Amino acid sequence: MIGLPSKQIVNGAAGRAQARTVGAGDWLWTLHEGRTALTVVTEVTTVKAREIVAVVSDRQPFLAAPDQLLGTSSGWVRAAEAAGSELTWTPARKLCRTRLAIRPGHDFGYWVGATCADGTVGPNYVSLVVNDEGFAGRYAASLTASTGLAARLEPVTRPSGFLQRDLPGFRVRVVSSYLADVMRQYVGGDAHHMRQGFPRVVLRDLDSFNGFLDGYADGDGYRIKRWQARAIASANVPFLAELAVVIGARFTPVTSGKVSHLVVSDRWERRGTFVPETHPVHLIESQATTVREVRPRTATGAKPFTLHRYRLEPHPSFLVSGHVVRAAG
């Protein structure tokens, strides 16, 4: 027997809803291949039961029938047997946000590289504050071209510790939790400049990678006058070491803990070291949460639990407090 008790919250397209209020024609959220998707209710049935379980995960507890199937990365598990399992989950509060159709290419690589070099990734925004108006303008243009988000320059002042006075600068700030989350995904989860990983998503094609080099060099690089090359700087040694392998360059980090430099020749492509890789440009929204315990509940009075069961199309699953559960077969 499967189903959800009447007051259990499910994640609908119109917002949170109790299981008893969901009817045919309503749209529910689900996860499909790691991304959020909508599925429509085609039929609702109810059944009486005296036994249900409370599934207590790291994220949020929820109630379900003992035989209700819950989604994991390796398949389905009965709710009554879910203790210790890692369920597939996504933050319910982020379900209604705007999702971006990110286009790879030079513009894509440019804003990723510039963000890695000089940007800030906040909880729900990405920003760049620099002195060079041209750099800020190129960053804003590449963001808009690649993501469709409106990005504009704002004049600001920046304190200078060396000159002991404020200097004029320019800021580009785009508020989008999706953009912030996908940027964290690109660099391995932590977008701090000293801890970020090399964003291998820019290796999907040569155009994207060259855009990355241009964006990073505009932020933390400079032209070398003695020969045709640029040098890029970072104190994040693993980041530069991984990049050096891609361009086939020798890299000797500074051992004193200060900033290291990597020379990027204008003719690096002739070395034949670039190998395209396939990585998702879109945000993988599915996460894992561990079930700490499963508590049985029994209807002790005369009134049993009413369990609500749905049939759905085109996806046979839906979200309960962000957790993936299987609909009726």
Side-chain angles (χ1 to χ4, degrees), residues 53 55 65-68 78-83 294:
V53 294
V55 180
D67 292 331
Q68 177 65 55
R78 293 178 61 245
E81 301 169 348
V294 176

Side-chain angles (χ1 to χ4, degrees), residues 199-217:
R200 302 194 72 86
V201 66
V202 300
L203 301 181
R204 59 182 298 116
D205 56 69
L206 195 55
D207 198 25
S208 296
F209 182 64
N210 277 324
F212 169 82
L213 291 177
D214 291 342
Y216 198 99

Side-chain angles (χ1 to χ4, degrees), residues 134-178:
F135 177 29
R138 290 189 294 274
Y139 181 76
S142 66
L143 256 177
T144 299
S146 175
T147 68
L149 292 170
R152 60 186 179 86
L153 277 67
E154 303 174 69
V156 295
T157 57
R158 306 177 67 195
S160 171
F162 178 73
L163 298 176
Q164 297 297 309
R165 60 184 175 87
D166 289 344
L167 295 177
F170 299 90
R171 180 177 70 178
V172 179
R173 187 174 188 268
V174 176
V175 177
S176 168
S177 66
Y178 186 97

Side-chain angles (χ1 to χ4, degrees), residues 111-282:
W111 71 259
V112 172
T115 304
C116 286
D118 252 355
T120 299
V121 181
N124 66 338
Y125 69 89
V126 173
S127 72
L128 181 82
V129 182
V130 293
N131 295 334
D132 186 345
E133 183 178 5
F135 177 29
R138 290 189 294 274
Y139 181 76
S142 66
L143 256 177
T144 299
S146 175
T147 68
L149 292 170
R152 60 186 179 86
L153 277 67
E154 303 174 69
V156 295
T157 57
R158 306 177 67 195
S160 171
F162 178 73
L163 298 176
Q164 297 297 309
R165 60 184 175 87
D166 289 344
L167 295 177
F170 299 90
R171 180 177 70 178
V172 179
R173 187 174 188 268
V174 176
V175 177
S176 168
S177 66
Y178 186 97
L179 184 66
D181 285 348
V182 80
M183 185 63 202
R184 277 186 283 269
Q185 174 181 297
Y186 293 161
V187 297
D190 189 343
H192 187 282
H193 293 304
M194 288 298 296
R195 298 185 295 270
Q196 66 186 354
F198 173 70
R200 302 194 72 86
V201 66
V202 300
L203 301 181
R204 59 182 298 116
D205 56 69
L206 195 55
D207 198 25
S208 296
F209 182 64
N210 277 324
F212 169 82
L213 291 177
D214 291 342
Y216 198 99
D218 278 358
D220 267 340
Y222 56 90
R223 293 294 306 179
I224 299 176
K225 296 180 180 180
R226 298 189 303 274
W227 64 85
Q228 294 180 326
R230 293 175 289 186
I232 59 176
S234 176
N236 187 336
V237 171
F239 184 98
L240 290 185
E242 195 168 348
L243 175 56
V245 174
V246 176
I247 63 173
R250 288 182 295 179
F251 171 59
T252 303
V254 175
T255 57
S256 62
K258 297 181 180 180
V259 173
S260 297
H261 294 80
L262 174 66
V263 175
V264 182
S265 169
D266 292 347
R267 297 187 293 271
W268 72 267
E269 292 180 36
R270 298 181 184 179
R271 298 170 182 154
T273 55
F274 179 81
V275 179
E277 297 180 3
T278 301
H279 299 278
V281 174
H282 62 265

Side-chain angles (χ1 to χ4, degrees), residues 74-95:
S74 57
W76 301 96
V77 61
R78 293 178 61 245
E81 301 169 348
S85 300
E86 288 199 343
L87 303 184
T88 303
W89 174 86
T90 194
R93 60 187 174 83
K94 295 184 177 181
L95 286 171

Side-chain angles (χ1 to χ4, degrees), residues 27-69:
W27 291 86
L28 303 181
W29 285 105
T30 188
L31 286 170
H32 178 65
E33 297 180 348
R35 305 177 70 178
T36 52
L38 287 170
T39 189
V40 67
V41 179
T42 59
E43 181 184 350
V44 180
T45 58
T46 59
V47 64
K48 302 295 183 179
R50 303 201 67 83
E51 302 287 339
I52 62 172
V53 294
V55 180
V56 183
S57 76
D58 287 337
R59 301 297 181 174
Q60 188 172 351
F62 61 95
L63 303 174
D67 292 331
Q68 177 65 55
L69 296 179

